Amino acid sequence: MSRARLNLFIQSEHAKRLNELAITKGVSKSSIIAAALASWLSPESGEQREVAMAKRLDRLSSQFERLERDQHILIETVALYVRYYLTVSTPIPEAHQEAARSQGKLRFSQFVEQLGRHLQRGRSLVKDVHEEVQAEAQVSGERP
């Protein structure tokens, strides 16, 4: 098989990595370039790229669906909390408002601390709720 000589210019980082790969694999740089070019130009390479792209799109779709689910859970949680809070909260008499503000600041501080601990553990309340709902649905034979 005849071979054609080419003088190519590539980025210095690529040249460095090519040299390291040739040394590691114990092959010539020309053979690595020839294999890469053959792979790129083969009819199957287009299909392989398409399959790889489809896998990436599927993974992105799954991530988007999880984000959408988590956002929906968050919206519903906040909405239910607001409805509950507005329906059960009684007005605070003027004489007790300062004490209520003080108590509210303390509770908020405790909430932030608890949230920090929860996040440091790497758990997600949304994930916990989703797992609980799935477990309950499996026990009752329903779909979550």
Side-chain angles (χ1 to χ4, degrees):
M1 171 172 23
S2 69
R3 300 185 320 178
R5 180 175 179 88
L6 300 174
N7 291 322
L8 303 172
F9 296 95
I10 61 174
Q11 296 176 359
S12 59
E13 179 60 31
H14 292 153
K16 179 182 173 188
R17 291 176 61 197
L18 176 63
N19 192 43
E20 290 170 355
L21 181 63
I23 291 169
T24 302
K25 297 290 184 183
V27 296
S28 69
K29 292 183 262 185
S30 293
S31 65
I32 294 172
I33 297 294
L37 190 57
S39 173
W40 180 262
L41 296 175
S42 76
E44 295 86 32
S45 71
E47 292 173 18
Q48 290 172 347
R49 282 191 301 274
E50 194 172 312
V51 167
M53 186 69 73
K55 285 181 182 179
R56 288 183 191 128
L57 287 173
D58 287 345
R59 190 171 50 241
L60 286 172
S61 293
S62 296
Q63 289 172 340
F64 180 76
E65 287 171 1
R66 279 192 306 274
L67 284 171
E68 191 174 39
R69 180 204 68 211
D70 291 354
Q71 182 182 25
H72 182 72
I73 291 170
L74 179 61
I75 290 169
E76 288 300 314
T77 302
V78 170
L80 285 172
Y81 174 76
V82 168
R83 177 189 290 170
Y84 173 80
Y85 179 79
L86 293 175
T87 57
V88 300
S89 294
T90 57
I92 299 171
E94 187 72 36
H96 298 170
Q97 286 187 2
E98 189 58 41
R101 280 190 201 93
S102 178
Q103 183 68 31
K105 287 179 184 178
L106 177 63
R107 287 179 181 171
F108 183 75
S109 176
Q110 291 170 343
F111 168 77
V112 170
E113 288 175 22
Q114 184 178 3
L115 177 63
R117 285 191 304 272
H118 188 78
L119 292 174
Q120 284 177 340
R121 285 193 302 264
R123 291 297 298 167
S124 162
L125 181 60
V126 171
K127 187 175 182 179
D128 292 346
V129 169
H130 182 70
E131 290 171 358
E132 287 176 21
V133 168
Q134 280 187 325
E136 289 175 7
Q138 288 175 352
V139 168
S140 67
E142 299 173 4
R143 289 191 61 187

